[in-house]
Amino acid sequence: MKKILFAFVIGSLLLIHPSVSKAAQSTEDFVEELQYSWFNGYTYDDHRLIQLNTSRPLEVVSIFKRENEYGYDYMIYVHELKNGEWKVSYRRPVEYMTNLSFITKGRMGATDKVLIGSYEGSGNFLDAYLIGSPNGRDIKLMQHKSSLFQGGAWIIDGVLFYGSGSIVSQKYRVQNGKVVSAGRASGRDDRLISKNPKIWLGLKMSGDRAVYAGKKTVYAKVGDRIGIGRYGVSDTRGYSYRLMSYDGSSVLSYDTVRPGMTAMKRGTAVLSLEPEAYGDAVEIKVIVR
């Protein structure tokens, strides 16, 4: 009976943790070993070094995955060096996702937080997990968001912004170890997450419909940044637009981290903007000279 129980316990541990040694070693050595580890069909996918609490060295946040009939199952781990050994101080399973990845990280409160998530479906619905420490010691899930249409997330200046495209819908900060609202999102926030572009393609409400408030021919110089969002900096209403580009010559470069475009070279690009997603489109010509 004892032998059977012992075998069950060992098997359970193998199901929970990657097959890496706990012996004291440098972060670089530990990460290298982690990249070749596996357990119960899960293999290494990605990692980041992040200061989630006040200990040293930096924590290793890793993502492991295994294939299932619909996509992938994932495991999120936070590895921490404690008393000379690397230990798993946090873990979370995430099932039936297509591409779980690191979305954003940054300082919120006294330490860094990391947002890990996946984009699902034709609407790019974001499902995301904010992981960090509320007290500088323990690491836990601090927030979970799901089904954010055309979702995006950015940690900037201590604030976590969620948005649809480049329209900020929610914003949060950490206060006394808890994630709390940082107020209503507005057009000022749209500009912030887009790096305060020189050229702004604004949206406003006309009655109960969103409309484009700018010119249909826009002139830019090489290096200028172009953004889209609420026309009024104090506008707190919600918008959901779609943007398509007919730019075969790569006049504009699209930022995949912070919403916006940069004029890369002289030429003309044509943007098709739907102020109401899947509604009537407005054609905007961008001439870079």
Side-chain angles (χ1 to χ4, degrees):
M1 185 68 175
K2 291 182 179 179
K3 290 183 179 180
I4 295 175
L5 177 61
F6 179 75
F8 173 76
V9 171
I10 293 297
S12 298
L13 290 176
L14 289 176
L15 292 177
I16 294 174
H17 300 301
S19 54
V20 294
S21 65
K22 296 181 180 180
Q25 54 185 311
S26 69
T27 301
E28 292 76 12
D29 289 342
F30 177 76
V31 168
E32 183 176 359
E33 187 175 349
L34 192 70
Q35 291 172 337
Y36 292 98
S37 64
W38 60 272
F39 72 106
N40 196 29
Y42 286 86
T43 57
Y44 167 88
D45 188 53
D46 201 0
H47 81 277
R48 295 288 188 276
L49 304 181
I50 305 173
Q51 188 67 67
L52 292 179
N53 59 25
T54 56
S55 66
R56 292 291 187 272
L58 299 180
E59 286 72 55
V60 179
V61 183
S62 68
I63 299 174
F64 280 69
K65 70 178 182 180
R66 69 178 179 187
E67 193 169 359
N68 61 39
E69 63 270 33
Y70 301 109
Y72 293 95
D73 294 328
Y74 290 89
M75 289 291 291
I76 302 170
Y77 290 100
V78 178
H79 312 267
E80 188 176 2
L81 188 61
K82 289 184 176 181
N83 301 320
E85 291 186 348
W86 284 98
K87 297 182 179 180
V88 173
S89 55
Y90 176 83
R91 64 178 178 268
R92 170 163 289 274
V94 181
E95 298 180 328
Y96 300 109
M97 293 289 181
T98 56
N99 187 23
L100 193 74
S101 62
F102 292 93
I103 305 297
T104 185
K105 66 182 179 72
R107 181 61 58 91
M108 293 181 70
T111 56
D112 288 348
K113 309 294 182 287
V114 60
L115 192 78
I116 299 174
S118 178
Y119 295 98
E120 303 294 326
S122 59
N124 268 345
F125 291 95
L126 175 62
D127 193 274
Y129 302 83
L130 181 69
I131 298 170
S133 175
N135 55 17
R137 300 184 307 275
D138 305 315
I139 297 172
K140 59 182 288 187
L141 176 69
M142 299 190 69
Q143 188 185 61
H144 174 222
K145 289 288 183 180
S146 61
S147 301
L148 298 176
F149 175 67
Q150 291 184 355
W154 310 267
I155 297 176
I156 305 170
D157 298 335
V159 178
L160 170 58
F161 298 90
Y162 291 104
S164 175
S166 56
I167 305 292
V168 176
S169 57
Q170 306 167 47
K171 57 181 182 177
Y172 299 91
R173 56 189 172 88
V174 172
Q175 179 177 310
N176 298 325
K178 296 182 179 180
V179 179
V180 299
S181 171
R184 297 187 68 181
S186 69
R188 184 174 288 105
D189 299 316
D190 299 345
R191 288 162 173 79
L192 176 62
I193 66 167
S194 299
K195 296 185 176 180
N196 294 307
K198 183 176 181 180
I199 299 170
W200 192 246
L201 308 179
L203 302 174
K204 67 179 183 180
M205 297 301 292
S206 177
D208 60 352
R209 294 186 60 82
V211 297
Y212 171 57
K215 297 179 179 179
K216 294 186 179 181
T217 300
V218 176
Y219 296 94
K221 295 180 180 179
V222 173
D224 283 351
R225 190 170 175 86
I226 303 169
I228 302 173
R230 284 169 277 215
Y231 179 78
V233 295
S234 300
D235 188 356
T236 60
R237 290 167 292 190
Y239 294 81
S240 181
Y241 70 87
R242 283 209 317 164
L243 179 71
M244 290 171 281
S245 172
Y246 303 95
D247 178 16
S249 56
S250 301
V251 173
L252 303 178
S253 174
Y254 297 85
D255 192 337
T256 58
V257 178
R258 299 274 289 271
M261 301 164 277
T262 301
M264 300 301 294
K265 63 181 182 180
R266 294 181 178 181
T268 300
V270 178
L271 304 176
S272 178
L273 173 64
E274 298 172 3
E276 297 267 358
Y278 304 101
D280 295 334
V282 178
E283 192 173 274
I284 305 168
K285 184 179 296 185
V286 180
I287 301 174
V288 181
R289 54 188 184 180

